[in-house]
Amino acid sequence: MTEKTEFTSWIDDTYREVGRRPVPEGEARTILIRRHFPAWVVDVWDAVTDPGRLSQWFLPVSGELELGGAFRIEGNASGEILRCEAPNLLAVTWNFGTGPSSELMLRLADVSRGETALELEQAPIPDLIDMDGRRLDPVLNDYETGLFGLGTGWELALISLARFLGGDPITDPATWEEAPEVQNFAVRSGELWAQLAAEEARERP
């Protein structure tokens, strides 16, 4: 019997989805991740919205951190806060590099005493983007460059959140990501996202 580790547990106990939802322009491709955290919903909400805590597990954030305000995440994305309904819903626009803008939504819900369900949904996700003359699916890992796709990238961020909430924050993310167990996780996560993306493409009319 294989021993269950932090990463095998994450692989087995995380819900992933590549789907579609209606938008004013028609239909949008989406990704969704759902995971339970052993923490109170107000604590998870505070960890994903308080800039001081956010910087301890994700990245430093600055700007007008209120409804309608603009924010910038250091070395990453920028956007506008669209909805902020504590402690259950946060929705922002997400602008990364020169790629198309998307909307990122976090939904939090009490599951039981001291347990919170978190859903992360991002849309629209283009089928392909141009990167250095190559056409890539942004959901998937790019093994030629070593860049994580949106699916695996968000999962690694949420693992960092789980570690932070559990009192064991990742202090050196770059070194942590290079660890063999993290790289093995990224490969397996990438395989699962590739399967989901292929299934979603086959099911389109």
Side-chain angles (χ1 to χ4, degrees):
M1 185 174 178
T2 304
E3 180 183 358
K4 198 144 188 172
T5 68
E6 173 187 20
F7 296 105
T8 58
S9 173
W10 191 275
I11 287 291
D12 295 339
D13 300 335
T14 300
Y15 176 81
R16 305 165 182 83
E17 179 182 301
V18 178
R20 302 189 81 78
R21 75 176 189 197
V23 295
E25 295 77 18
E27 273 197 331
R29 187 179 185 224
T30 67
I31 61 168
L32 186 144
I33 302 169
R34 184 185 304 122
R35 177 75 184 185
H36 289 191
F37 292 82
W40 295 95
V41 67
V42 291
D43 192 28
V44 181
W45 174 263
D46 194 54
V48 300
T49 57
D50 178 84
R53 299 188 75 197
L54 193 59
S55 66
Q56 294 180 59
W57 66 269
F58 190 47
L59 290 165
V61 60
S62 59
E64 303 169 48
L65 305 181
E66 58 186 26
L67 187 63
F71 69 89
R72 179 170 295 279
I73 296 173
E74 185 176 296
N76 196 282
S78 62
E80 179 185 344
I81 299 171
L82 303 176
R83 298 174 67 182
C84 185
E85 301 169 13
N88 300 115
L89 178 65
L90 178 67
V92 301
T93 56
W94 193 261
N95 306 310
F96 183 82
T98 58
S101 178
S102 61
E103 180 178 316
L104 182 71
M105 186 175 295
L106 294 178
R107 293 183 284 263
L108 308 180
D110 278 313
V111 177
S112 61
R113 289 180 60 83
E115 184 176 2
T116 298
L118 181 150
E119 280 191 350
L120 181 153
E121 184 176 15
Q122 187 172 0
I125 307 296
D127 294 324
L128 295 170
I129 59 172
D130 290 309
M131 181 177 289
D132 298 328
R134 301 162 62 220
R135 299 280 283 167
L136 303 175
D137 184 340
V139 172
L140 308 184
N141 296 345
D142 179 26
Y143 295 105
E144 183 172 317
T145 61
L147 294 175
F148 298 132
L150 289 172
T152 298
W154 281 124
E155 287 197 57
L156 289 171
L158 293 178
I159 290 174
S160 181
L161 171 60
R163 290 275 297 267
F164 173 73
L165 291 168
D168 183 25
I170 297 166
T171 55
D172 186 347
T175 300
W176 178 76
E177 286 186 1
E178 292 300 320
E181 62 269 25
V182 179
Q183 290 293 310
N184 290 338
F185 166 82
V187 169
R188 181 58 185 140
S189 168
E191 291 171 346
L192 293 172
W193 284 106
Q195 292 171 12
L196 291 169
E199 289 170 6
E200 188 275 328
R202 285 196 299 269
E203 291 172 359
R204 293 185 202 175

